[in-house]
Each structure stands twice: as C-alpha cells, then as structure tokens.
Amino acid sequence: MNVENAKAQMRKGVLEYCILSILSDKDAYASDVINKLKDAKMIVVEGTLYPLLTRLKNAGLLSYRWEESTQGPPRKYYALTELGKDFLKELDNSWNELVEAVQTINQTTKVEQK
Amino acid sequence: MKKTVSINLNGLVFYIDEDAYTRLRSYLDKLEAWFRNKDGAAEIIIDIENRIAELFEEKVQPGVGVVTLPMVEEVIKIMGEPEEFEDPDSGFENESAGTTGTYYKAPKRLYRDIDDRVFGGVCSGIAAYFNIDVVLVRVIFGILPFVSVGVIIPVYIVLWIAVPPAVTTAQKLQMRGEPINISNIEKTIKDEYEDVKKRFSKIKDSDTYKKGKDFFSSMTKRDKTVMIVVLLLAGAALLFGNGIHMPVLNGSFMPANMVILGHPGFAVPHIYLPGVVKVVLILALIAIFVKPLFKVLMYAILIILALVLFFPLLIWLIGMLAIIF
C-alpha cells in the first residue's frame, strides 16, 4: 500500500464523474476533455480517457457526432444524453454527500485529537 | 541516412523513420492486446490513433516533415503505457498486483512452432509443450524410421496437418504455457520485430539462388547438425543398406519399388532403391558438394531420369505402333 497507489484509486473513482461534469457545460471533443482533466491534474496519461469515453458512450450516457474542423480531419464531439444528465445529477448529489461525510469525519477526529 | 515509411493516421499522411515506426507499431500492438477482451476495443484504438495523429500534427506538418523516434517516445509518454491507464473497471483488487497488468493463465496447448522449424514445426511444438529440448525430439523423430517405426513419418504428416501453427503472440505464449500478460506479450512482440528485421535484411542480400542456402544458414547450429545427421543416416540406409522400413496398409497405395516382407497380418514393406535411383542420388550429392560440377551433374540427372521414365514408354509405343501397322 503506497500513497501513489491510494491517490490513483481515489482519482479513478471520480474520473467518470469529472468527464460527465466537463461535458455538462458544453459539448467537447476528446482533446478538450483531456486538456481540462490534465489542467486539473486529474489524469496523468491521456490513454486513460479513451476507454472511459467509449464505456460511457456504450452505457448510453454520452453520444457523439462528427464535426468538421478548420484544420485537419473531422473531430468527434461528445455530448451528454438525457440519461447522462440524470446520471450526473445523481453523482453530483453523492459527491456532495461524500465531501460532507469526509469533512465531518476529519473535523470530529481533529476535535477528538485536541 | 535513415529510411522512412509513410503511414496514414486518421486520414493524415506522415513520414516516419523506420525505427520510430517500429516503436509506434509495437505500442499500438500492445494497446490492441491490452484492450482485446474489452468492449469497443476497435473504437478505443482508433480514438487513440487519432489523438496520436493530432499530437504528431502539432510537431510536424503532415506529408512534409518526418516523425522521429524521440517524437514517438514523447507521444507515447503523453498517451501512457496501458498499465498506467487508470481504469475504474480494473478496480481495487488490482492494488496488490501493482502495475503488472491483467494476468491470464491459459491452459497449455499443442501448437506447431513455425518460428523454429525444420519442416512443419511439429517437433519444436512438441518440445515446447513438454518443455524439453527440441533437439531431443528431433533426434527421436529422426531415428524412429530406422528402427522399424517408420509409422512415425505418416504420424508426423498428420500432426503437421492437424496441429494448428502458433501464429498470434497469445498462441505462442500459450504454446509455451507462459501466462498471457502484457509484459510477456510486449517481450514476444519485440523479439518478433528483431527477428523479422533480421530476416528482411537477409532476404535483401540474397538472390533466388541463395534463398535455400539462406534458410539453411538461418537455422541454429545444432539444428543444422541434427538435420545433417538425420539426412546422412537416411542417405546411408538408402544407398548402402537394405532400405527404409515403412509400414503401410497392405495393398493400398504402394510404389512399385516397395517389396512386402511376409509378416502375417501386418505388411512391412521396405523401400528399396533401384540402382538407377542410387546413381541419381549419388550424382546429386556430388553436385551439392562440388559446386563447379553442379550444372553438368544436374543435366546428367535430368537425362538419366528422362531416359528411365521414357524408355519403357518408348518401347511400349514402338510395340503399339508395330501392332497397328
């Protein structure tokens, strides 16, 4: 059990949530999503994203369309489906609960320590 | 000077150095192996290829600049090795396994090892299956026909036909009973690239005449030794001995120069070589070892064979003509 591993496990759990959250703002193509995740230090290697996008799409949470780009070949633009929006709402709630829970635990522990 | 290859990634053409190409190919192969059993594998690979194209595009102009090995290494670093992908599906049970990747132990299977073969790779396949030295298996297979177990020859041919060759990397690992995991697959793929590279450079250097010799020189030394010993023994048996024992079904397909010995119930015909065949074989042997005489002796053999084959036919034809007229 090392700390890097534990961190990675934590990130894994919320990665799907983050992708849905990024796409809830506006439709984006894979590289946009990657850049946002990288800026936020949510992913280390880009390869992580593609299996996730495919899985979310196959689960019916995402859809995509091809869009011509000004330079280069057409790009895949991902968007949330209705199902994806509902799913995201659920995750929003549980994320807030989780954050609260962790905060509560941390606070009470610290109080006890004092 | 470096040789370049042109590749098409997502409709963009890139020139890429040969070494860089090899690296990229092995990376993509590894990804393919990694995602093999997952949903939407093809789609994931295409998405990743497209992203790689995009990253190349940032560095070189498609169709103009050349992608180099450092660029490929950099892109692979950005994309990450499959072990580094943080996949929620691989879950927490993977924790203790660290980065060793998925571990899948397939049952051992008998394949023909076509990378290490004399004829069909049957012996090397058997050796891999039982994890013994291939030389031992070849010696056994080579000796059996001389000790009245000629049945091994049809057995070998049946095995050759029936046992599938180990073509894919997974099959090759399965043949040796090694676990099919990413590091093993990567290692095997790397080995194969080296091998293919070597073979290519060899083929380049050789013309058609040298090809046979090339195959011979590509065999390992001990394989050569085994083959030479087996051939010499077979040759000696044919030329100076009573021939080779080979049980076949009584009365079925049997050349005229086979003589059936009287074993009740089980016919053991010997292959006897008529004098003319021995002469031809000896001439052929001389031809192989005495290069300057090669052409002359080959013509001599052709003429002898033509005479032997067509002489009876000629006599018969003359006889027929004599009857008619």
Side-chain angles (χ1 to χ4, degrees):
Chain A
M1 187 84 190
N2 62 45
V3 69
E4 280 311 312
N5 215 329
K7 277 189 200 163
Q9 298 294 353
M10 270 189 183
R11 274 203 304 270
K12 272 185 201 176
V14 291
L15 208 46
E16 281 162 327
Y17 173 45
C18 288
I19 293 170
L20 293 176
S21 185
I22 288 168
L23 291 173
S24 71
D25 191 22
K26 65 177 172 48
D27 300 354
Y29 90 113
S31 300
D32 291 339
V33 180
I34 281 180
N35 289 336
K36 281 196 175 158
L37 288 173
K38 277 179 124 179
D39 289 345
K41 295 198 167 60
M42 267 304 292
I43 57 170
V44 184
V45 293
E46 295 194 2
T48 305
L49 184 73
Y50 296 95
L52 283 178
L53 283 176
T54 305
R55 191 164 45 239
L56 291 172
K57 189 208 75 187
N58 289 343
L61 303 179
L62 295 182
S63 63
Y64 70 83
R65 60 176 192 279
W66 289 100
E67 217 163 82
E68 296 295 327
S69 79
T70 46
Q71 79 265 21
R75 293 163 164 181
K76 240 181 189 176
Y77 269 78
Y78 287 91
L80 282 188
T81 59
E82 285 307 311
L83 191 67
K85 282 174 189 160
D86 294 343
F87 198 88
L88 180 60
K89 254 179 229 160
E90 286 282 317
L91 287 183
D92 271 334
N93 290 337
S94 79
W95 173 251
N96 289 335
E97 281 167 23
L98 202 63
V99 171
E100 261 173 50
V102 173
Q103 273 172 352
T104 316
I105 289 168
N106 283 351
Q107 273 163 11
T108 49
T109 325
K110 271 162 197 159
V111 170
E112 277 164 19
Q113 277 168 352
K114 280 173 193 170
Chain B
M1 191 184 75
K2 272 186 169 175
K3 195 174 161 189
T4 62
V5 181
S6 75
I7 54 169
N8 171 354
L9 276 179
N10 194 24
L12 294 172
V13 173
F14 290 97
Y15 294 113
I16 180 167
D17 279 338
E18 212 175 10
D19 51 354
Y21 171 77
T22 310
R23 178 75 185 93
L24 186 62
R25 181 75 264 166
S26 78
Y27 176 68
L28 291 173
D29 283 346
K30 193 175 162 186
L31 284 179
E32 249 164 67
W34 179 265
F35 289 118
R36 190 195 300 270
N37 296 321
K38 293 191 178 152
D39 287 343
E43 199 178 351
I44 296 170
I45 303 283
I46 289 172
D47 283 347
I48 290 177
E49 277 187 12
N50 291 352
R51 175 63 177 163
I52 291 174
E54 220 173 74
L55 291 171
F56 282 160
E57 214 185 337
E58 286 171 11
K59 295 174 200 303
V60 296
Q61 206 186 327
V64 180
V66 175
V67 178
T68 60
L69 187 58
M71 285 182 205
V72 170
E73 293 290 357
E74 197 187 326
V75 164
I76 289 174
K77 210 175 161 202
I78 292 172
M79 299 306 294
E81 298 288 346
E83 298 92 334
E84 296 172 298
F85 294 176
E86 287 163 7
D87 187 348
D89 253 14
S90 61
F92 294 82
E93 75 274 16
N94 206 7
E95 201 178 34
S96 57
T99 53
T100 47
T102 48
Y103 184 87
Y104 167 59
K105 174 109 177 151
K108 222 172 182 183
R109 273 205 64 186
L110 181 60
Y111 284 105
R112 288 187 287 116
D113 187 354
I114 50 173
D115 297 328
D116 178 18
R117 62 177 182 184
V118 174
F119 298 109
V122 171
C123 288
S124 45
I126 291 171
Y129 187 80
F130 293 108
N131 199 17
I132 48 178
D133 196 335
V134 63
V135 174
L136 186 68
V137 183
R138 283 187 187 140
V139 167
I140 291 170
F141 266 72
I143 285 174
L144 286 182
F146 300 103
V147 288
S148 282
V149 198
V151 71
I152 200 70
I153 294 170
V155 166
Y156 184 94
I157 292 166
V158 169
L159 283 173
W160 194 343
I161 294 165
V163 177
V167 179
T168 67
T169 306
Q171 284 171 337
K172 281 172 191 167
L173 289 169
Q174 216 181 343
M175 174 179 75
R176 283 176 234 132
E178 284 176 34
I180 302 170
N181 61 30
I182 282 299
S183 59
N184 265 340
I185 285 175
E186 193 191 5
K187 187 179 153 283
T188 316
I189 284 173
K190 265 186 192 157
D191 290 350
E192 268 165 41
Y193 269 109
E194 305 277 297
D195 195 38
V196 167
K197 242 185 177 174
K198 259 188 241 159
R199 279 189 208 180
F200 261 115
S201 58
K202 260 186 192 164
I203 286 168
K204 263 186 265 167
D205 297 336
S206 73
D207 51 35
T208 330
Y209 171 71
K210 275 193 199 154
K211 256 181 193 162
K213 238 183 117 193
D214 222 76
F215 165 74
F216 196 63
S217 62
S218 73
M219 293 165 67
T220 62
K221 209 177 167 193
R222 52 173 204 193
D223 282 350
K224 263 187 224 167
T225 320
V226 171
M227 200 169 119
I228 288 169
V229 168
V230 169
L231 286 176
L232 286 181
L233 283 175
L238 281 171
L239 290 177
F240 309 111
N242 278 331
I244 295 178
H245 300 265
M246 185 152 94
V248 288
L249 289 177
N250 201 355
S252 63
F253 175 78
M254 201 175 294
N257 56 359
M258 280 183 175
V259 179
I260 297 173
L261 293 185
H263 288 297
F266 185 50
V268 185
H270 284 196
I271 301 177
Y272 284 120
L273 290 181
V276 63
V277 176
K278 290 189 183 181
V279 170
V280 164
L281 283 174
I282 290 167
L283 285 182
L285 270 178
I286 297 170
I288 289 166
F289 289 108
V290 189
K291 276 273 162 57
L293 292 176
F294 189 81
K295 241 184 175 172
V296 181
L297 287 173
M298 280 299 151
Y299 279 121
I301 289 171
L302 277 178
I303 292 165
I304 292 172
L305 285 178
L307 279 179
V308 169
L309 286 174
F310 290 107
F311 193 62
L313 201 68
L314 208 68
I315 302 280
W316 183 78
L317 267 176
I318 293 167
M320 287 298 278
L321 286 173
I323 292 168
I324 292 167
F325 300 104

